[in-house]
Amino acid sequence: MKILDRIANDVRLMFRRPVRVQCAALCYRFKKKSAQPEMLVITSRDTGRWVIPKGWPMEGKKLHQVAAREAYEEAGVKGDAGEDSVGFYTYEKGMDHGLKIPCRVQVYPVVVFDMAKRFPEKGTRTLDWVSFEEGAARVDEPLLKELILAFEQRLFSTMNTPDGAQKTA
């Protein structure tokens, strides 16, 4: 029986699809009056779920550059993307004909300095600026929730100077 189990396991492994990589933008800005940070969530075009901008890698571009590009195309964000990923999350991407593929999404911070009036996917998604806590509550993926809250903590720790005074970034 052990031989049959091994053969069955080997066959499953042969047909398993490799994990695909995507990159995402964790877009944030600081409110003008209070200097409190907030993050951007958008709806997906297919299901209307709350997500952050993400997409497939592009030849000739680094992943943080792609994350910034996706943020612009999907939400009109103009900002600076950090070169270092703040983490990753996984999910199953629904493809045509019901096929689902596993994806590992590398997330890059994008500090937003402006929003475009016109951008490629304008009108196809809903955009909302929310607190990090609210953003984490809206997204479905458990690892993304954790990543959002951890990034907020890191952001707050870098906003405070050693003497306890807040920077306005």
Side-chain angles (χ1 to χ4, degrees), residues 23-34:
C23 42
L26 181 53
C27 302
Y28 68 98
R29 67 182 183 187
F30 297 90
K31 293 180 184 179
K32 289 180 182 169
K33 291 184 181 181
S34 67

Side-chain angles (χ1 to χ4, degrees), residues 47-109:
T47 64
R49 293 180 309 111
W50 289 105
V51 297
I52 60 176
K54 68 179 174 299
W56 300 108
M58 297 175 191
E59 194 168 328
K61 290 195 182 288
K62 295 181 179 180
L63 292 180
H64 75 280
Q65 295 170 323
V66 175
R69 171 78 180 223
E70 291 296 330
Y72 169 74
E73 289 179 0
E74 296 180 5
V77 164
K78 294 180 182 180
D80 291 327
E83 291 184 23
D84 295 327
S85 170
V86 296
F88 72 91
Y89 68 97
T90 58
Y91 81 110
E92 294 215 338
K93 173 136 181 90
M95 304 298 280
D96 295 337
H97 310 296
L99 179 67
K100 290 191 176 198
I101 60 170
C103 289
R104 176 184 168 122
V105 184
Q106 290 295 136
V107 180
Y108 295 87

Side-chain angles (χ1 to χ4, degrees), residues 12 43 51 87 90-91 102 113 117 125:
R12 275 194 298 275
T43 54
V51 297
T90 58
Y91 81 110
F113 55 78
K117 291 186 183 351
R125 302 171 183 274

Side-chain angles (χ1 to χ4, degrees), residues 113-142:
F113 55 78
D114 198 12
M115 299 288 291
K117 291 186 183 351
R118 284 182 260 184
F119 52 94
E121 296 184 20
K122 183 177 176 88
T124 64
R125 302 171 183 274
T126 301
L127 287 64
D128 201 5
W129 287 97
V130 298
S131 69
F132 283 85
E133 187 175 319
E134 176 65 24
R138 288 193 190 183
V139 299
D140 287 341
E141 298 82 5

Side-chain angles (χ1 to χ4, degrees), residues 11-30:
V11 169
R12 275 194 298 275
L13 288 174
M14 282 187 338
F15 289 105
R16 177 188 274 169
R17 290 178 174 20
V19 173
R20 301 281 306 272
V21 174
Q22 288 188 306
C23 42
L26 181 53
C27 302
Y28 68 98
R29 67 182 183 187
F30 297 90

